[in-house]
């Protein structure tokens, strides 16, 4: 029963929504608009289970109910809990400029996330040195266009001869070759999503219900 | 021992670090002309009638702030210099908080009035509902629509309250002053002073705050939907710019849209540019530098901008972040990428030499 009701709802609503999308009447269009207005509002409630899952997951590590407990995991969980509740309580009190929440946001959260992201530079430099080998025709081609886009995107072309032509060629390539490849990927993803949605509507794909359904 | 310390990774990381630092301190100047993908957005603002209104959703967080905030600063600066009103919003909590800093700083610098010349709608979540709502004539929607945490208070409305209860005067004045300085915290101030104000006064003020609707803001008076906006733009470190394209698709004829993205996600945006679903793509530092250079050359030099910020009373660190924020980062960006290119070259030379040896 627990599984049949969601499956039934998904089937009925999925079919109705598909039909409504392809039937062009004023009431069907109204119904689609109503559904599209409701869907985002419902999705907002996902924050409730998401918070619960995060706290429960880190709570297990903190209370050593984890399958493979370690001190590092416990420390990480402790830091997560302290950070979460400090931000929550201070934010509920006030998030105005000059408040504790605002101070922590500007002086801890922003610098920490910026630092984490900037570390990528070092990884990318190291990975490029180790992994980028011009050993075959297609990797050579990749290298040529990577250099072209890199040089123009960083302004290096302003210091090299015929830099303006490099720039124009880079823009042309981004608008043609790049777009063709991106669209091919996008079409592939769209067809895949369509297939997955059909499987979900007809109850073939049930992993969305969780628990290895 | 030295071999253990100076591993390949350590050497690479040191080289990268040095190139970043050199980029900051060496007097390298990279000025870039407007590229075709950026100039449409700039020319749109340039040719706009004074008093027209643009909407910019700011959706970058700490991870991408270095690259995307200069885009926001350059764009809003150009808008203010051309007397284009700006409505700001954020689709996620972190960007919404950051957006307030950018718009209030630039608003104060250029002497713009909150609610009239610019407005921060605050957190607009769920964003899909927000975009759909703007597409339809929102004035036909029922009920009052909250405009984030921003509130509109006229001190004169509360004269009677002050007369009957003199102790609340200072609190009400501080709330009114806060509004006047474009802060969105009046509601929070109110909560903080709940006890002081007393339940009756508190409830009256709160009621006033909660009945604020979009129509209470002069900037929103002439706007019924996308067609009344000069443009909509999303400045983001994620793919949130695609949300605008998806959810405003029914209003494609009305909306003029472009996106400012990080350089890494820019190539993905070109497909929408080619399909004319966007008029421009502003790719990271490069795009920001192009607009910044253009604004500096055509409208207001960096020195004048700095002086104006100083006159507005901003501290040095804020001025340093806003004046030349984009072009200052370009040398580091160029040097690090040059390093990466050289490292790839060295890696490949080594690879071919090893292959020769093995053969």
């Amino acid at each position: 029963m627990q599984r049949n009701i969601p499956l039934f709802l998904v089937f009925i609503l999925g079919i109705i929504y598909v039909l409504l999308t392809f039937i062009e009447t004023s009431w069907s269009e109204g119904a689609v608009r109503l559904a599209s207005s409701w869907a985002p509002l419902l999705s907002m409630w996902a924050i409730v289970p998401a918070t619960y899952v995060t706290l429960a997951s880190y709570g297990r590590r903190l209370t050593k109910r984890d399958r493979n407990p370690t001190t590092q995991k416990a420390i990480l969980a402790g830091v997560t809990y302290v950070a979460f509740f400090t931000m929550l309580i201070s934010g509920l009190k006030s998030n105005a400029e000059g408040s504790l929440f605002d101070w922590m946001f500007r002086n801890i959260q922003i610098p920490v996330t910026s630092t984490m992201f900037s570390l990528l530079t070092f990884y990318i430099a190291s990975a490029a040195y180790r992994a980028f080998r011009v050993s075959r025709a297609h990797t050579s081609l990749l290298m040529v266009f990577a250099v072209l886009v890199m040089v123009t995107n960083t302004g290096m072309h302003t210091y090299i001869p015929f830099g303006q032509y490099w720039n124009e060629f880079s823009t042309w390539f981004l608008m043609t070759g790049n777009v063709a490849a991106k669209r091919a990927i996008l079409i592939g993803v769209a067809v895949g999503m369509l297939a997955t949605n059909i499987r979900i509507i007809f109850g073939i794909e049930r992993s969305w219900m969780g628990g290895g359904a | 021992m030295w071999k253990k310390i100076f591993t390949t990774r350590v050497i690479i990381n040191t080289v990268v670090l040095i190139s970043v630092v050199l980029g900051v301190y060496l007097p390298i100047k990279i000025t870039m002309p407007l590229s075709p993908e950026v100039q449409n957005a700039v020319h749109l603002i340039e040719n706009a009638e004074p008093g027209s209104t643009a909407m910019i959703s700011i959706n970058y967080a700490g991870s991408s702030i270095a690259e995307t905030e200069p885009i926001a600063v350059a764009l809003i600066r150009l808008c203010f210099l051309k007397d284009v009103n700006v409505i700001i919003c954020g689709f996620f909590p972190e960007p919404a908080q950051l957006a307030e800093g950018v718009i209030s700083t630039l608003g104060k610098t250029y002497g713009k009035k909150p609610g009239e010349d610019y407005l921060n709608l605050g957190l607009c979540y769920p964003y899909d509902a927000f975009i759909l709502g703007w597409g339809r004539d929102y004035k036909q929607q029922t009920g009052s629509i909250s405009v984030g945490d921003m509130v509109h208070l006229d001190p004169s409305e509360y004269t009677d309250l002050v007369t009957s209860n003199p102790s609340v005067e200072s609190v009400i004045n501080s709330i009114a002053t806060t509004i006047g300085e474009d802060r969105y915290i009046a509601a929070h101030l109110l909560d903080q002073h709940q006890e002081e104000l007393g339940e009756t006064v508190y409830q009256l003020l709160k009621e006033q705050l909660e009945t604020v609707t979009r129509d209470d803001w002069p900037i929103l008076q002439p706007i019924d939907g996308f067609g009344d906006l000069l443009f909509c733009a999303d400045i983001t470190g994620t793919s949130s710019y695609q949300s605008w394209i998806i959810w405003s698709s029914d209003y494609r004829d009305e909306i003029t849209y472009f996106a400012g993205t990080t350089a890494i996600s820019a190539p993905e945006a070109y497909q929408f540019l080619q399909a004319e679903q966007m008029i421009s793509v502003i790719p990271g530092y490069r795009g920001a530098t192009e607009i910044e250079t253009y604004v500096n050359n055509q409208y207001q030099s960096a020195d004048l901008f700095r002086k104006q910020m100083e006159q507005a009373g901003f501290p040095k660190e804020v001025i340093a972040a806003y004046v030349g924020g984009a072009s200052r980062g370009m040398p580091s960006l160029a040097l690090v990428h040059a390093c990466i290119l050289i490292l790839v070259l060295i890696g490949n030379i080594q690879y071919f030499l090893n292959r020769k040896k093995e053969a």
Side-chain angles (χ1 to χ4, degrees):
Chain A
M1 195 66 172
Q2 249 183 336
R3 285 181 184 177
N4 287 342
I5 290 173
L7 283 174
F8 177 73
L9 282 174
V10 164
F11 176 74
I12 294 294
L13 293 173
I15 293 290
I16 289 173
Y17 199 81
V18 169
L19 289 176
L20 286 176
T21 308
F22 289 103
I23 298 170
E24 280 191 23
T25 61
S26 58
W27 62 268
S28 64
E29 280 177 11
V32 169
R33 277 171 182 263
L34 184 72
S36 56
S37 299
W38 271 91
L41 293 172
L42 291 174
S43 70
M44 195 172 70
W45 286 95
I47 200 164
V48 178
T51 309
Y52 170 75
V53 169
T54 307
L55 291 178
S57 161
Y58 280 99
R60 270 197 297 276
R61 296 178 193 184
L62 202 60
T63 53
K64 293 189 177 177
R65 277 184 287 138
D66 194 72
R67 280 181 193 168
N68 187 18
T70 60
T71 316
Q72 288 95 325
K73 276 187 186 178
I75 291 170
L76 178 68
V79 169
T80 306
Y81 258 77
V82 170
F84 179 85
F85 284 107
T86 313
M87 289 298 269
L88 181 71
I89 293 163
S90 60
L92 285 173
K93 202 178 168 196
S94 170
N95 67 350
E97 204 173 304
S99 64
L100 177 67
F101 178 86
D102 186 60
W103 185 88
M104 288 194 294
F105 175 73
R106 290 183 194 286
N107 298 298
I108 299 175
Q109 190 173 336
I110 298 294
V112 163
T113 46
S114 298
T115 307
M116 286 301 291
F117 200 71
S118 64
L119 288 177
L120 272 178
T121 314
F122 297 98
Y123 287 111
I124 288 171
S126 187
Y129 169 72
R130 288 162 201 273
F132 210 155
R133 297 286 174 262
V134 189
S135 53
R136 292 178 187 167
H138 60 268
T139 50
S140 309
L141 206 61
L142 178 67
M143 180 73 183
V144 168
F145 286 107
V147 170
L148 182 77
V149 174
M150 213 187 279
V151 164
T152 51
N153 259 346
T154 55
M156 280 190 266
H157 68 283
T158 55
Y159 281 95
I160 54 176
F162 309 109
Q164 185 52 33
Y165 297 108
W166 281 57
N167 196 22
E168 279 170 20
F169 186 69
S170 168
T171 305
W172 172 83
F173 174 71
L174 283 166
M175 291 285 276
T176 51
N178 163 64
V179 165
K182 288 284 178 195
R183 288 219 175 112
I185 294 167
L186 204 68
I187 296 278
V189 171
V191 171
M193 278 171 71
L194 188 68
T196 309
N197 286 341
I198 289 170
R199 283 169 63 87
I200 290 171
I201 288 172
F202 288 100
I204 302 162
E205 174 71 52
R206 298 180 182 191
S207 58
W208 59 273
M209 287 198 289
Chain B
M1 185 197 157
W2 293 113
K3 269 191 177 178
K4 273 187 182 175
I5 294 171
F6 292 105
T7 57
T8 313
R9 187 180 295 169
V10 170
I11 294 167
I12 291 172
N13 289 352
T14 312
V15 168
V16 170
L17 180 69
I18 290 169
S19 57
V20 171
V21 175
L22 283 178
V24 173
Y25 291 105
L26 283 180
I28 304 169
K29 204 170 185 185
I30 298 177
T31 50
M32 297 173 76
L34 288 178
S35 56
E37 60 264 47
V38 177
Q39 68 187 6
N40 282 346
V42 173
H43 290 163
L44 181 74
I45 302 170
E46 270 194 318
N47 298 324
E49 283 183 26
S52 41
T53 306
M55 177 180 274
I56 302 174
S57 58
I58 290 202
N59 288 313
Y60 53 78
S63 54
S64 54
I65 191 169
E67 211 178 356
T68 43
E69 193 165 78
I71 302 176
V73 172
L75 264 184
I76 297 170
R77 213 179 131 209
L78 181 60
C79 285
F80 282 164
L81 286 165
K82 293 297 295 179
D83 281 331
V84 171
N85 299 333
V86 179
I87 301 169
I88 290 279
C89 60
F91 293 163
F92 307 99
E94 200 176 330
Q97 188 103 355
L98 288 168
E100 173 58 23
V102 175
I103 193 74
S104 60
T105 305
L106 290 172
K108 200 176 170 186
T109 303
Y110 288 104
K112 299 289 178 182
K113 288 181 187 164
E116 284 180 35
D117 303 318
Y118 70 90
L119 179 67
N120 182 6
L121 296 178
L123 175 62
C124 298
Y125 187 84
Y127 51 83
D128 24 20
F130 172 78
I131 298 167
L132 280 169
W134 269 87
R136 295 164 201 169
D137 182 353
Y138 71 81
K139 282 177 183 167
Q140 286 175 11
Q141 292 178 47
T142 54
S144 63
I145 299 159
S146 166
V147 285
D149 286 335
M150 288 188 75
V151 288
H152 177 64
L153 285 175
D154 180 356
S156 64
E157 288 176 24
Y158 303 103
T159 314
D160 293 341
L161 282 173
V162 174
T163 316
S164 61
N165 189 355
S167 67
V168 301
E169 189 176 8
S170 63
V171 176
I172 291 176
N173 278 345
S174 70
I175 292 171
T177 311
T178 311
I179 300 295
E181 287 174 356
D182 181 29
R183 295 292 179 269
Y184 57 98
I185 58 171
H188 302 290
L189 269 177
L190 192 62
D191 285 339
Q192 279 173 2
H193 294 284
Q194 186 176 357
E195 281 181 28
E196 204 178 324
L197 289 165
E199 195 54 30
T200 317
V201 177
Y202 172 79
Q203 284 303 337
L204 274 167
L205 286 171
K206 187 151 184 146
E207 201 177 301
Q208 175 69 27
L209 293 177
E210 284 171 355
T211 52
V212 167
T213 65
R214 285 180 174 186
D215 290 345
D216 289 323
W217 299 95
I219 191 175
L220 294 172
Q221 295 289 339
I223 296 165
D224 283 332
F226 290 128
D228 298 315
L229 293 168
L230 176 66
F231 66 81
C232 293
D234 190 52
I235 301 171
T236 179
T238 66
S239 59
S240 72
Y241 68 89
Q242 293 179 16
S243 308
W244 276 98
I245 294 165
I246 294 165
W247 292 100
S248 68
S249 58
D250 280 356
Y251 313 98
R252 200 174 157 182
D253 296 336
E254 294 174 35
I255 191 169
T256 306
Y257 175 65
F258 63 86
T261 67
T262 52
I264 197 88
S265 52
E268 202 166 345
Y270 277 81
Q271 55 191 322
F272 304 109
L273 182 65
Q274 202 245 11
E276 294 178 2
Q277 286 167 296
M278 298 201 291
I279 59 157
S280 262
V281 173
I282 303 169
Y285 256 131
R286 175 190 143 197
T289 308
E290 287 177 16
I291 301 174
E292 191 181 274
T293 310
Y294 188 79
V295 173
N296 287 347
N297 292 341
Q298 299 290 324
Y299 296 102
Q300 185 193 41
S301 70
D303 286 337
L304 273 177
F305 182 36
R306 183 180 292 108
K307 273 182 191 166
Q308 203 156 349
M309 285 197 84
E310 280 168 358
Q311 281 167 2
F314 288 106
K316 275 182 183 173
E317 59 270 20
V318 175
I319 297 171
Y322 279 75
V323 180
S327 41
R328 196 172 45 245
M330 282 304 279
S332 287
L333 193 75
L335 282 176
V336 169
H337 281 83
C339 270
I340 291 175
L341 286 179
I342 293 165
L343 286 168
V344 170
L345 190 70
I346 294 170
N348 276 286
I349 291 168
Q350 270 184 347
Y351 168 74
F352 282 110
L353 288 176
N354 288 344
R355 217 165 65 163
K356 249 187 181 179
K357 267 185 195 173
E358 281 168 18

